[in-house]
Amino acid sequence: MAHGNNSNEKVVYVGDSRVRKRETVNSIPPDYTSFPGRSEAFIPNFLLKEWMVGCVVLVGFLVLTIAEPPPLGYPADPTNSAFIPMPDWYFLFLYQLLKYPWVSGSYVPLGVMGVPGVAFGSLLLAPFLDTGKERRFYRRPIATTLMLLSLVSCYYLTKVSWDHYQHELEITNTVPEHIEREEKAREAAASGEEPPSATKPKEDVALVDADNAGVKTIMEKAKCMTCHGTDLKGQAGAKIPSLHGVGDLLDKAQLTEIVTNGKGGMPAFKDTLSAEEIDTLTTWLAKQKAAQ
Amino acid sequence: MFKSVYNWIDERLDVTPLWRDVADHEVPEHVNPAHHFSAFVYCFGGLTFFITVIQILSGMFLTMYYVPDIINAYASVDYLQHKVPFGSIVRGMHHWGASLVIVMMFLHTLRVFFTGSYKAPREMNWVVGMLIFFIMLGLGFTGYLLPWDNKAYFATKVGIQIADSVPYIGEYIKVFLQGGDIVGATTLTRFFAIHVFFLPGALLALLAAHFLMIRKQGIAGPL
């Protein structure tokens, strides 16, 4: 053994380890009792109180998660051109900043490097920029003012960005996908059905009486295929519905109303098509039901 | 009994100084809300850590179900949320906790800033804290893509576009994040790896440094 408990050695170790055998206890740092004021021990006195605060926070947090389920929209579809992008809320100030003309386009280096670089750089290096001994914020007017200004501008940018998003939702008449989905699930639950699955693609419904020459002529005249597609399956990305199985969703009267007066992004066809043509068309559309 | 076990370990590992540092240190009066209620502002750091622990635990449970590929990612999140018992709550904790941790960290940063606690000799701890802040934002950004719904996909696309507009190195950042020419299958696996291994690893190391320094230097004194 390299280091026996030989009392002649200057340093005595525990066994053959490098832990020195202690003779006295004075190597222990001072505990809280040697500090002045009403200090208290971390364990157990303070930790117990801290745990109580922690429990209150945890209960509040769990109530939030139960009351407000996490949002989930529809599966990512890169061809979806109508989706309004929305970063998480704590990136909104940066997102909004980059929309201003003086930090975008040819000035974009200023927007992505300059402004955030100076802001985050000075925040990172704050102790080396504000080197005075004074700690009270009201005696440090420059540091305090700069911080308050940054806070106000972050708040302002976030608010503008959020209002802009809400406005965009309104003018495009869009319901955010996770809300739409939740709504549909709730409706399905209320009527006692299975909630609609967003993962399984809908089964393809074949067209009924697909070779009807009269209908084909009318459709070519009205240019239905331009939007609903040559296969009449619509464009999911642009929220243009498929006409396959449309008879399951709408009856003839509703179809006539939509074709005659339009709906959402679809134009009215009362000037393009005659009443008989619309009648022929909607009779055919109403027949588009899934095979039983 | 405990005392003799403690002494047995202490003789071999000399844990008393360590125990003093970790648990038996003083809590000064000016940071103790029991004495001055306004001292609750000193709780935000601890609460940030508390939420971080929740994030780590709930994240560990999420990876039991989550599949990081573009075919199954959405389906696995959907299954977790709607079919697995309490899955919605576990995902909810991770989702809302991600926002809450930013809020708490923000409040903690403001407290440290306005009390001037970052001043000498605590400069290094402030810098480490800011690095933790950036890591957290990175965790938020990479985690946002993982459910692979439209919101996730298009937000990531915008984020990568912004990174792409950085002069000179933007193109490289873009390719590094995307793992290819488009936001797609490789992006998802990359973001998953960054979110679950790289950033948490860095976060734990920085947290260790943060706590080591606060114990070494103690809490800043009263104003």
Side-chain angles (χ1 to χ4, degrees), chain A residues 14 19 22 28-29 31-32 38-40 42-43 61 68 70-71 73-74 76-78 80 86 89-91 95 112 123 127 130 132 134-135 137 140 151 177 181, chain B residues 10-12 14 20 23 25-27 29 32 74 78 81 91 93 95-96 99 106 113-116 118-119 126 130 137 140 144 148-150 153-154 158 165 221:
Chain A
V14 177
V19 177
R22 268 203 316 272
I28 300 171
D31 75 354
Y32 69 95
R38 283 176 289 180
S39 297
E40 65 181 342
F42 182 71
I43 286 181
F61 182 52
E68 206 54 52
Y74 294 119
D77 175 12
N80 185 337
M86 187 60 179
W89 62 269
Y90 42 85
F91 289 118
Y95 187 50
V112 293
L123 196 60
D130 176 24
E134 179 59 57
R135 282 181 47 212
F137 64 90
R140 296 185 284 135
L151 290 178
E177 284 185 353
R181 210 184 145 190
Chain B
D10 189 39
E11 193 197 356
R12 280 153 186 80
D14 196 18
R20 271 282 144 82
H25 55 264
E26 85 287 7
V27 177
E29 184 186 336
N32 193 336
Y74 179 87
D78 188 56
Q81 178 149 355
R91 183 165 174 254
M93 286 172 83
H95 176 88
W96 297 115
S99 289
F106 183 68
F113 186 86
F114 284 118
T115 57
Y118 56 84
K119 293 181 171 257
W126 168 270
M130 286 317 298
L137 290 180
Y144 205 62
W148 200 249
D149 59 0
N150 276 319
Y153 182 84
F154 287 100
V158 170
S165 60

Coordinates of all heavy atoms in Angstrom, one line a residue, chain A residues 14 19 22 28-29 31-32 38-40 42-43 61 68 70-71 73-74 76-78 80 86 89-91 95 112 123 127 130 132 134-135 137 140 151 177 181, chain B residues 10-12 14 20 23 25-27 29 32 74 78 81 91 93 95-96 99 106 113-116 118-119 126 130 137 140 144 148-150 153-154 158 165 221:
Chain A
V14 N -7.0 8.6 3.7 CA -7.9 7.6 4.1 C -7.6 6.4 3.1 O -7.8 6.5 1.9 CB -9.3 8.0 3.9 CG1 -10.3 6.9 4.2 CG2 -9.6 9.2 4.8
V19 N -8.1 11.2 -0.4 CA -8.8 12.0 0.6 C -8.0 12.1 1.8 O -7.6 11.0 2.4 CB -10.2 11.3 0.9 CG1 -10.9 12.1 1.9 CG2 -11.0 11.3 -0.4
R22 N -8.9 13.6 8.1 CA -9.1 14.8 8.9 C -8.7 14.6 10.3 O -9.2 13.6 10.9 CB -10.5 15.3 8.8 CG -10.7 16.3 7.6 CD -12.0 17.1 7.9 NE -13.1 16.3 8.4 CZ -13.9 15.7 7.7 NH1 -13.8 15.8 6.4 NH2 -14.9 15.0 8.2
I28 N -14.0 22.8 7.6 CA -15.4 22.9 7.1 C -15.8 24.4 7.0 O -15.5 25.1 7.9 CB -16.4 22.2 8.0 CG1 -16.0 20.7 8.1 CG2 -17.8 22.4 7.5 CD1 -16.8 19.9 9.1
P29 N -16.3 24.8 5.8 CA -16.7 26.2 5.7 C -17.8 26.6 6.7 O -18.5 25.7 7.2 CB -17.2 26.3 4.3 CG -17.6 25.0 3.9 CD -16.7 24.1 4.6
D31 N -21.1 27.6 8.6 CA -22.5 27.4 8.2 C -23.3 28.7 8.4 O -22.7 29.8 8.8 CB -23.1 26.2 8.9 CG -23.4 26.5 10.4 OD1 -23.0 27.6 10.9 OD2 -23.9 25.7 11.1
Y32 N -24.6 28.7 8.2 CA -25.4 29.9 8.2 C -25.4 30.7 9.5 O -25.6 31.9 9.5 CB -26.8 29.6 7.8 CG -27.5 28.8 8.8 CD1 -28.3 29.5 9.8 CD2 -27.4 27.4 8.9 CE1 -29.0 28.8 10.7 CE2 -28.1 26.7 9.9 CZ -28.9 27.4 10.8 OH -29.5 26.7 11.8
R38 N -31.3 37.8 10.3 CA -32.2 36.7 10.5 C -32.1 35.7 9.3 O -33.0 35.4 8.6 CB -33.7 37.2 10.5 CG -34.0 37.8 11.9 CD -35.4 38.3 11.9 NE -35.5 39.5 11.1 CZ -36.6 40.2 10.9 NH1 -37.7 39.9 11.5 NH2 -36.6 41.3 10.2
S39 N -30.8 35.2 9.1 CA -30.6 34.1 8.1 C -31.2 32.8 8.7 O -31.3 32.7 9.9 CB -29.1 33.9 7.9 OG -28.5 35.1 7.4
E40 N -31.5 32.0 7.7 CA -32.0 30.7 8.2 C -31.4 29.5 7.4 O -30.9 29.8 6.3 CB -33.5 30.6 8.3 CG -34.2 30.7 7.0 CD -35.7 30.6 7.1 OE1 -36.2 30.1 8.2 OE2 -36.4 30.9 6.2
F42 N -31.0 26.5 4.9 CA -31.6 26.1 3.7 C -32.4 24.9 3.9 O -33.6 24.8 3.5 CB -30.6 25.9 2.5 CG -31.2 25.6 1.2 CD1 -31.9 26.6 0.5 CD2 -31.1 24.3 0.7 CE1 -32.5 26.3 -0.7 CE2 -31.7 24.0 -0.5 CZ -32.4 25.0 -1.2
I43 N -31.8 23.8 4.5 CA -32.5 22.6 4.8 C -32.6 22.6 6.3 O -31.6 22.7 7.0 CB -31.7 21.4 4.3 CG1 -31.9 21.3 2.8 CG2 -32.2 20.1 5.0 CD1 -31.2 20.1 2.2
F61 N -50.2 25.4 -12.4 CA -49.7 25.0 -13.7 C -50.6 23.8 -14.2 O -51.0 23.8 -15.4 CB -48.3 24.6 -13.6 CG -47.6 24.2 -14.8 CD1 -47.7 25.0 -16.0 CD2 -46.9 23.0 -14.9 CE1 -47.1 24.6 -17.1 CE2 -46.3 22.6 -16.0 CZ -46.3 23.4 -17.2
E68 N -56.7 23.9 -20.6 CA -56.3 24.4 -21.9 C -55.4 23.3 -22.6 O -54.2 23.3 -22.4 CB -55.6 25.7 -21.7 CG -55.6 26.7 -22.9 CD -57.0 27.0 -23.4 OE1 -57.9 27.4 -22.6 OE2 -57.2 26.9 -24.6
P70 N -53.0 21.3 -25.1 CA -52.1 21.9 -26.0 C -52.6 21.9 -27.4 O -53.2 20.9 -27.8 CB -50.8 21.0 -25.8 CG -51.4 19.7 -25.3 CD -52.6 20.1 -24.5
P71 N -52.4 22.9 -28.2 CA -52.9 23.0 -29.6 C -52.2 22.0 -30.5 O -51.0 21.8 -30.4 CB -52.7 24.4 -30.0 CG -51.5 24.9 -29.2 CD -51.6 24.1 -27.9
G73 N -52.7 21.3 -34.8 CA -53.4 21.6 -36.0 C -53.5 20.3 -36.9 O -53.6 19.2 -36.4
Y74 N -53.4 20.6 -38.2 CA -53.5 19.5 -39.2 C -52.0 19.2 -39.6 O -51.2 20.0 -39.5 CB -54.3 19.8 -40.4 CG -55.8 20.0 -40.0 CD1 -56.5 21.2 -40.2 CD2 -56.5 18.9 -39.4 CE1 -57.8 21.3 -39.8 CE2 -57.8 19.0 -39.1 CZ -58.5 20.2 -39.2 OH -59.8 20.3 -38.9
A76 N -48.5 18.8 -41.4 CA -47.8 19.7 -42.2 C -48.0 19.4 -43.7 O -47.8 18.3 -44.1 CB -46.3 19.7 -41.9
D77 N -48.4 20.4 -44.5 CA -48.6 20.2 -45.9 C -47.8 21.3 -46.6 O -48.3 22.5 -46.7 CB -50.1 20.3 -46.2 CG -50.4 20.3 -47.7 OD1 -49.4 19.9 -48.5 OD2 -51.5 20.6 -48.1
P78 N -46.6 21.0 -47.2 CA -45.8 22.1 -47.8 C -46.5 22.8 -49.0 O -46.1 23.9 -49.3 CB -44.5 21.3 -48.2 CG -44.5 20.1 -47.4 CD -45.9 19.7 -47.1
N80 N -49.5 23.8 -49.0 CA -50.5 24.7 -48.5 C -50.0 26.1 -48.6 O -49.1 26.6 -48.0 CB -50.8 24.4 -47.0 CG -51.9 25.2 -46.5 OD1 -52.3 26.2 -47.0 ND2 -52.5 24.6 -45.4
M86 N -46.9 31.6 -38.2 CA -47.0 32.2 -36.9 C -45.9 31.6 -36.0 O -46.1 30.5 -35.5 CB -48.4 32.0 -36.3 CG -48.6 32.8 -35.0 SD -48.4 34.5 -35.3 CE -48.8 35.1 -33.7
W89 N -44.8 33.0 -29.4 CA -45.0 34.4 -29.1 C -43.8 35.1 -28.7 O -43.6 36.3 -28.9 CB -46.1 34.5 -27.9 CG -45.6 33.8 -26.7 CD1 -45.9 32.5 -26.3 CD2 -44.8 34.3 -25.6 NE1 -45.4 32.2 -25.1 CE2 -44.7 33.3 -24.6 CE3 -44.3 35.5 -25.3 CZ2 -44.0 33.4 -23.5 CZ3 -43.5 35.7 -24.2 CH2 -43.4 34.6 -23.2
Y90 N -42.8 34.3 -28.1 CA -41.6 35.1 -27.7 C -40.6 35.4 -28.8 O -39.6 36.0 -28.6 CB -40.9 34.3 -26.6 CG -40.8 32.8 -26.7 CD1 -39.7 32.2 -27.5 CD2 -41.7 32.0 -26.2 CE1 -39.7 30.9 -27.6 CE2 -41.7 30.6 -26.3 CZ -40.6 30.1 -27.0 OH -40.6 28.7 -27.2
F91 N -40.9 35.0 -30.1 CA -40.1 35.4 -31.2 C -40.8 36.5 -32.0 O -40.3 37.0 -33.0 CB -39.9 34.2 -32.1 CG -38.9 33.2 -31.6 CD1 -39.3 31.9 -31.3 CD2 -37.6 33.6 -31.3 CE1 -38.4 31.0 -30.8 CE2 -36.7 32.7 -30.7 CZ -37.1 31.4 -30.5
Y95 N -39.8 38.9 -35.3 CA -40.6 38.7 -36.5 C -41.1 40.0 -37.0 O -41.1 40.3 -38.2 CB -41.7 37.7 -36.2 CG -42.5 37.1 -37.3 CD1 -41.9 36.6 -38.5 CD2 -43.9 37.1 -37.3 CE1 -42.6 36.2 -39.5 CE2 -44.6 36.6 -38.3 CZ -44.0 36.2 -39.4 OH -44.8 35.7 -40.5
V112 N -31.2 41.5 -39.3 CA -30.9 40.2 -38.7 C -29.6 40.2 -37.8 O -29.4 39.4 -37.0 CB -30.8 39.1 -39.7 CG1 -32.2 38.9 -40.3 CG2 -29.8 39.4 -40.8
L123 N -26.8 43.1 -23.9 CA -27.4 42.4 -22.8 C -26.4 41.4 -22.2 O -26.2 41.2 -21.0 CB -28.7 41.7 -23.2 CG -29.6 41.2 -22.1 CD1 -30.1 42.4 -21.3 CD2 -30.9 40.5 -22.7
P127 N -22.5 43.5 -17.7 CA -21.6 43.8 -16.5 C -20.4 44.5 -17.0 O -19.8 45.2 -16.1 CB -21.3 42.4 -16.0 CG -22.1 41.4 -16.7 CD -22.7 42.0 -17.9
D130 N -21.7 48.3 -17.9 CA -22.2 49.1 -16.7 C -21.3 48.7 -15.5 O -21.6 47.8 -14.8 CB -23.7 48.7 -16.5 CG -24.2 49.4 -15.2 OD1 -23.7 50.4 -14.8 OD2 -25.2 48.8 -14.6
G132 N -20.0 50.6 -13.0 CA -20.0 51.3 -11.8 C -20.3 50.4 -10.6 O -20.8 49.3 -10.7
E134 N -22.4 51.2 -8.2 CA -23.8 51.5 -7.8 C -24.7 50.3 -8.3 O -24.7 50.0 -9.4 CB -24.3 52.8 -8.3 CG -25.7 53.1 -7.9 CD -26.0 53.2 -6.4 OE1 -25.3 54.0 -5.8 OE2 -26.8 52.4 -5.9
R135 N -25.5 49.8 -7.3 CA -26.4 48.7 -7.7 C -27.9 49.1 -7.9 O -28.6 48.5 -8.6 CB -26.3 47.5 -6.7 CG -25.0 46.7 -6.9 CD -24.9 45.5 -6.0 NE -26.2 44.8 -5.9 CZ -26.7 44.2 -4.8 NH1 -26.0 44.2 -3.7 NH2 -27.8 43.6 -4.8
F137 N -31.2 50.6 -9.1 CA -31.5 50.9 -10.5 C -31.8 52.4 -10.6 O -31.5 53.0 -11.7 CB -32.7 50.1 -11.0 CG -34.0 50.3 -10.2 CD1 -34.9 51.3 -10.7 CD2 -34.3 49.6 -9.1 CE1 -36.0 51.5 -10.0 CE2 -35.5 49.8 -8.5 CZ -36.4 50.8 -8.9
R140 N -28.8 54.3 -11.5 CA -28.1 54.0 -12.7 C -29.0 54.4 -13.9 O -29.6 53.5 -14.6 CB -27.9 52.5 -12.8 CG -27.0 51.9 -11.7 CD -26.7 50.5 -11.9 NE -27.8 49.6 -11.5 CZ -28.3 48.6 -12.2 NH1 -27.8 48.3 -13.4 NH2 -29.3 47.9 -11.8
L151 N -37.7 47.1 -23.2 CA -38.9 46.3 -22.7 C -40.1 46.9 -23.4 O -41.0 46.1 -24.0 CB -39.1 46.4 -21.2 CG -38.1 45.7 -20.4 CD1 -38.4 45.9 -18.9 CD2 -38.2 44.2 -20.7
E177 N -56.0 26.5 -37.3 CA -56.3 25.0 -37.5 C -56.6 24.3 -36.2 O -57.5 23.5 -36.1 CB -55.2 24.3 -38.3 CG -55.2 24.7 -39.7 CD -54.2 23.9 -40.5 OE1 -53.3 23.2 -39.9 OE2 -54.2 24.0 -41.7
R181 N -60.0 22.4 -35.4 CA -60.0 21.0 -35.2 C -60.7 20.6 -33.8 O -61.4 19.7 -33.7 CB -58.5 20.5 -35.1 CG -58.4 19.1 -35.5 CD -57.1 18.6 -35.4 NE -57.3 17.2 -35.0 CZ -56.3 16.4 -34.6 NH1 -55.1 16.8 -34.5 NH2 -56.6 15.2 -34.3
Chain B
D10 N -18.7 10.1 4.7 CA -17.9 11.3 4.9 C -16.5 11.0 5.1 O -15.6 11.7 4.5 CB -18.5 12.1 6.1 CG -17.8 13.5 6.1 OD1 -17.7 14.1 5.0 OD2 -17.5 14.0 7.2
E11 N -16.2 10.0 5.8 CA -14.8 9.6 6.0 C -14.1 9.3 4.7 O -12.9 9.6 4.5 CB -14.7 8.4 7.0 CG -13.3 8.2 7.5 CD -13.1 6.9 8.1 OE1 -14.1 6.1 8.2 OE2 -12.0 6.6 8.5
R12 N -14.9 8.6 3.8 CA -14.3 8.2 2.6 C -14.2 9.3 1.5 O -13.3 9.3 0.7 CB -15.0 6.9 2.1 CG -14.6 5.7 2.7 CD -15.6 4.6 2.8 NE -15.2 3.5 3.6 CZ -15.2 3.5 4.9 NH1 -15.7 4.5 5.6 NH2 -14.7 2.5 5.6
D14 N -15.3 12.7 2.1 CA -15.2 14.1 2.6 C -16.3 15.0 2.0 O -16.1 16.0 1.4 CB -13.8 14.7 2.2 CG -13.5 15.9 3.1 OD1 -14.2 16.1 4.1 OD2 -12.6 16.7 2.7
R20 N -22.5 21.3 2.8 CA -22.6 22.7 3.2 C -23.0 23.5 2.1 O -23.9 24.4 2.1 CB -21.3 23.2 3.8 CG -21.1 23.0 5.3 CD -22.0 24.0 6.1 NE -22.5 23.4 7.3 CZ -21.8 23.2 8.4 NH1 -20.6 23.6 8.5 NH2 -22.3 22.6 9.4
A23 N -26.6 22.3 0.5 CA -27.9 22.3 1.3 C -27.8 23.1 2.6 O -28.8 23.7 2.9 CB -28.2 20.8 1.7
H25 N -26.4 25.9 3.3 CA -25.9 27.3 3.2 C -26.9 28.2 3.9 O -28.1 27.8 4.1 CB -25.6 27.7 1.8 CG -26.8 27.4 0.9 ND1 -26.9 26.3 0.2 CD2 -27.9 28.2 0.7 CE1 -28.1 26.4 -0.5 NE2 -28.7 27.5 -0.2
E26 N -26.5 29.5 4.0 CA -27.5 30.4 4.7 C -28.4 31.0 3.6 O -28.1 31.1 2.4 CB -26.7 31.6 5.3 CG -26.3 32.7 4.4 CD -25.2 32.3 3.4 OE1 -24.8 31.2 3.3 OE2 -24.8 33.3 2.7
V27 N -29.6 31.3 4.1 CA -30.6 32.1 3.2 C -30.7 33.4 3.9 O -31.3 33.6 5.0 CB -31.9 31.4 3.1 CG1 -32.9 32.2 2.3 CG2 -31.8 30.0 2.5
E29 N -31.6 37.2 5.1 CA -32.9 37.8 5.4 C -33.5 38.5 4.2 O -34.7 38.4 3.9 CB -32.7 38.8 6.6 CG -34.0 39.4 7.0 CD -33.8 40.4 8.1 OE1 -32.7 40.4 8.8 OE2 -34.6 41.3 8.2
N32 N -35.5 36.5 1.7 CA -36.4 35.5 2.3 C -37.8 36.2 2.4 O -38.1 37.0 3.2 CB -35.9 35.1 3.7 CG -36.7 33.9 4.2 OD1 -37.8 33.7 3.8 ND2 -36.0 33.2 5.1
Y74 N -46.4 13.5 -36.8 CA -47.8 14.1 -36.5 C -48.7 13.0 -35.9 O -49.3 13.3 -34.8 CB -48.4 14.7 -37.7 CG -49.8 15.3 -37.4 CD1 -49.9 16.6 -37.0 CD2 -50.9 14.5 -37.6 CE1 -51.1 17.1 -36.7 CE2 -52.1 15.0 -37.3 CZ -52.3 16.3 -36.9 OH -53.5 16.8 -36.6
D78 N -50.5 13.1 -32.3 CA -52.0 13.0 -32.3 C -52.4 11.8 -31.4 O -53.3 12.0 -30.6 CB -52.4 12.8 -33.8 CG -53.9 12.9 -33.9 OD1 -54.5 13.9 -33.5 OD2 -54.6 11.9 -34.4
Q81 N -51.8 12.6 -27.8 CA -52.7 13.6 -27.2 C -54.1 13.1 -27.1 O -54.8 13.4 -26.1 CB -52.7 14.8 -28.1 CG -53.7 15.9 -27.6 CD -53.3 17.3 -27.8 OE1 -52.2 17.5 -28.3 NE2 -54.1 18.2 -27.5
R91 N -48.3 16.3 -22.5 CA -47.9 17.2 -23.6 C -48.3 18.7 -23.3 O -47.5 19.6 -23.6 CB -48.7 16.8 -24.9 CG -48.2 17.7 -26.1 CD -48.6 17.2 -27.4 NE -48.2 18.2 -28.3 CZ -49.1 19.1 -28.9 NH1 -50.4 18.9 -28.8 NH2 -48.6 20.0 -29.7
M93 N -48.2 20.0 -20.3 CA -47.1 20.4 -19.4 C -45.9 20.9 -20.2 O -45.3 21.9 -19.9 CB -46.7 19.4 -18.4 CG -47.8 19.1 -17.3 SD -47.4 17.7 -16.3 CE -46.2 18.4 -15.1
H95 N -45.8 21.8 -23.4 CA -46.2 22.9 -24.2 C -46.3 24.2 -23.5 O -45.6 25.2 -23.8 CB -47.5 22.6 -24.9 CG -48.0 23.8 -25.8 ND1 -47.6 23.9 -27.1 CD2 -48.8 24.8 -25.5 CE1 -48.2 25.0 -27.5 NE2 -48.9 25.6 -26.6
W96 N -47.0 24.2 -22.4 CA -47.2 25.4 -21.6 C -46.0 25.7 -20.8 O -45.6 26.9 -20.6 CB -48.4 25.4 -20.7 CG -49.7 25.2 -21.5 CD1 -50.5 24.2 -21.5 CD2 -50.3 26.2 -22.5 NE1 -51.6 24.4 -22.4 CE2 -51.4 25.6 -23.0 CE3 -49.9 27.4 -22.9 CZ2 -52.2 26.3 -23.9 CZ3 -50.7 28.1 -23.8 CH2 -51.8 27.5 -24.3
S99 N -43.5 27.9 -22.5 CA -43.8 29.4 -22.4 C -43.5 29.9 -21.1 O -42.9 31.0 -20.9 CB -45.2 29.7 -22.8 OG -45.4 29.5 -24.1
F106 N -37.3 35.4 -17.9 CA -37.4 36.8 -18.2 C -37.5 37.6 -16.9 O -36.7 38.6 -16.7 CB -38.6 37.0 -19.1 CG -38.8 38.4 -19.6 CD1 -37.9 39.0 -20.5 CD2 -39.9 39.2 -19.1 CE1 -38.1 40.3 -20.9 CE2 -40.1 40.4 -19.6 CZ -39.2 41.0 -20.5
F113 N -31.1 42.3 -13.2 CA -30.7 43.5 -13.8 C -31.0 44.7 -12.9 O -30.1 45.5 -12.7 CB -31.4 43.7 -15.2 CG -30.9 44.9 -15.9 CD1 -29.8 44.8 -16.7 CD2 -31.5 46.1 -15.8 CE1 -29.3 45.9 -17.4 CE2 -31.1 47.2 -16.5 CZ -29.9 47.1 -17.3
F114 N -32.3 44.8 -12.5 CA -32.7 46.0 -11.7 C -32.1 46.0 -10.3 O -32.0 47.1 -9.7 CB -34.2 46.1 -11.7 CG -34.7 46.6 -13.0 CD1 -35.6 45.8 -13.8 CD2 -34.3 47.8 -13.5 CE1 -36.1 46.3 -15.0 CE2 -34.8 48.3 -14.7 CZ -35.7 47.5 -15.5
T115 N -31.7 44.9 -9.8 CA -31.0 44.9 -8.5 C -29.5 45.1 -8.7 O -28.7 45.0 -7.7 CB -31.3 43.7 -7.6 OG1 -30.9 42.5 -8.4 CG2 -32.7 43.6 -7.2
G116 N -29.0 45.2 -9.9 CA -27.6 45.3 -10.2 C -26.8 44.2 -9.7 O -25.6 44.3 -9.4
Y118 N -25.6 41.8 -11.2 CA -24.6 41.2 -12.2 C -23.3 41.9 -12.0 O -22.3 41.6 -12.8 CB -25.1 41.4 -13.6 CG -25.5 42.8 -14.0 CD1 -24.5 43.7 -14.4 CD2 -26.8 43.3 -13.9 CE1 -24.8 45.0 -14.8 CE2 -27.1 44.6 -14.2 CZ -26.1 45.4 -14.7 OH -26.4 46.7 -15.0
K119 N -23.2 42.9 -11.1 CA -21.9 43.7 -11.0 C -20.8 42.8 -10.3 O -21.1 41.8 -9.7 CB -22.2 45.0 -10.3 CG -23.1 45.8 -11.2 CD -23.4 47.1 -10.5 CE -24.1 48.0 -11.6 NZ -23.2 49.0 -12.1
W126 N -23.6 36.3 -14.8 CA -24.6 36.9 -15.7 C -24.4 36.4 -17.1 O -25.3 36.1 -17.8 CB -24.4 38.5 -15.6 CG -25.1 39.2 -16.7 CD1 -24.7 39.5 -17.9 CD2 -26.5 39.7 -16.7 NE1 -25.6 40.2 -18.7 CE2 -26.8 40.3 -17.9 CE3 -27.5 39.6 -15.7 CZ2 -28.0 40.9 -18.2 CZ3 -28.7 40.2 -16.0 CH2 -29.0 40.8 -17.2
M130 N -27.1 34.5 -19.4 CA -27.6 35.0 -20.8 C -27.4 33.8 -21.8 O -28.3 33.6 -22.6 CB -26.8 36.2 -21.3 CG -27.2 37.5 -20.6 SD -28.9 37.7 -20.3 CE -29.5 37.8 -22.0
L137 N -34.1 29.8 -25.8 CA -34.8 30.2 -27.0 C -34.6 29.2 -28.1 O -35.5 28.9 -28.9 CB -34.3 31.6 -27.5 CG -34.7 32.8 -26.6 CD1 -34.1 34.1 -27.1 CD2 -36.2 32.9 -26.5
G140 N -36.8 26.4 -27.6 CA -38.2 26.8 -28.0 C -38.3 26.7 -29.5 O -39.3 26.1 -30.1
Y144 N -40.6 23.7 -31.5 CA -41.8 24.1 -32.1 C -42.1 23.3 -33.4 O -43.3 23.1 -33.8 CB -41.7 25.6 -32.5 CG -42.9 26.4 -32.6 CD1 -43.8 26.5 -31.6 CD2 -43.3 27.0 -33.9 CE1 -44.9 27.3 -31.7 CE2 -44.4 27.7 -34.0 CZ -45.3 27.9 -32.9 OH -46.4 28.6 -33.0
W148 N -45.0 18.7 -36.1 CA -45.1 18.6 -37.6 C -46.5 18.9 -38.0 O -47.0 18.2 -38.9 CB -44.6 17.2 -38.0 CG -44.3 17.1 -39.4 CD1 -44.9 16.4 -40.4 CD2 -43.1 17.7 -40.1 NE1 -44.3 16.6 -41.6 CE2 -43.2 17.4 -41.5 CE3 -42.1 18.5 -39.7 CZ2 -42.2 17.8 -42.4 CZ3 -41.1 18.9 -40.6 CH2 -41.2 18.6 -41.9
D149 N -47.2 19.9 -37.5 CA -48.4 20.3 -38.1 C -48.1 21.6 -38.9 O -46.9 22.0 -39.0 CB -49.5 20.6 -37.0 CG -49.1 21.6 -36.0 OD1 -48.0 22.1 -36.0 OD2 -49.9 21.9 -35.1
N150 N -49.1 22.2 -39.5 CA -48.8 23.3 -40.4 C -48.2 24.5 -39.7 O -47.3 25.1 -40.3 CB -50.1 23.7 -41.1 CG -50.5 22.9 -42.3 OD1 -49.6 22.6 -43.1 ND2 -51.7 22.5 -42.4
Y153 N -44.5 23.7 -39.2 CA -43.8 23.7 -40.5 C -43.5 25.1 -41.0 O -42.4 25.4 -41.3 CB -44.6 22.8 -41.5 CG -43.9 22.7 -42.8 CD1 -42.9 21.8 -43.0 CD2 -44.2 23.6 -43.9 CE1 -42.3 21.7 -44.2 CE2 -43.5 23.6 -45.1 CZ -42.6 22.6 -45.3 OH -41.9 22.5 -46.4
F154 N -44.6 25.9 -41.0 CA -44.4 27.2 -41.6 C -43.6 28.2 -40.7 O -42.9 29.0 -41.2 CB -45.8 27.8 -42.1 CG -46.3 27.0 -43.3 CD1 -47.2 26.1 -43.2 CD2 -45.7 27.3 -44.5 CE1 -47.7 25.4 -44.3 CE2 -46.2 26.6 -45.7 CZ -47.2 25.7 -45.5
V158 N -40.2 30.1 -41.9 CA -39.9 31.5 -41.7 C -38.6 31.7 -41.0 O -37.8 32.5 -41.3 CB -41.1 32.2 -41.0 CG1 -40.8 33.6 -40.7 CG2 -42.3 32.2 -41.9
S165 N -31.0 35.0 -44.3 CA -30.8 36.4 -44.8 C -29.6 37.0 -44.0 O -29.2 38.1 -44.3 CB -32.0 37.2 -44.6 OG -32.4 37.2 -43.2
G221 N -25.7 41.0 -1.9 CA -26.2 41.5 -0.6 C -27.4 42.4 -0.8 O -27.8 42.7 -1.9

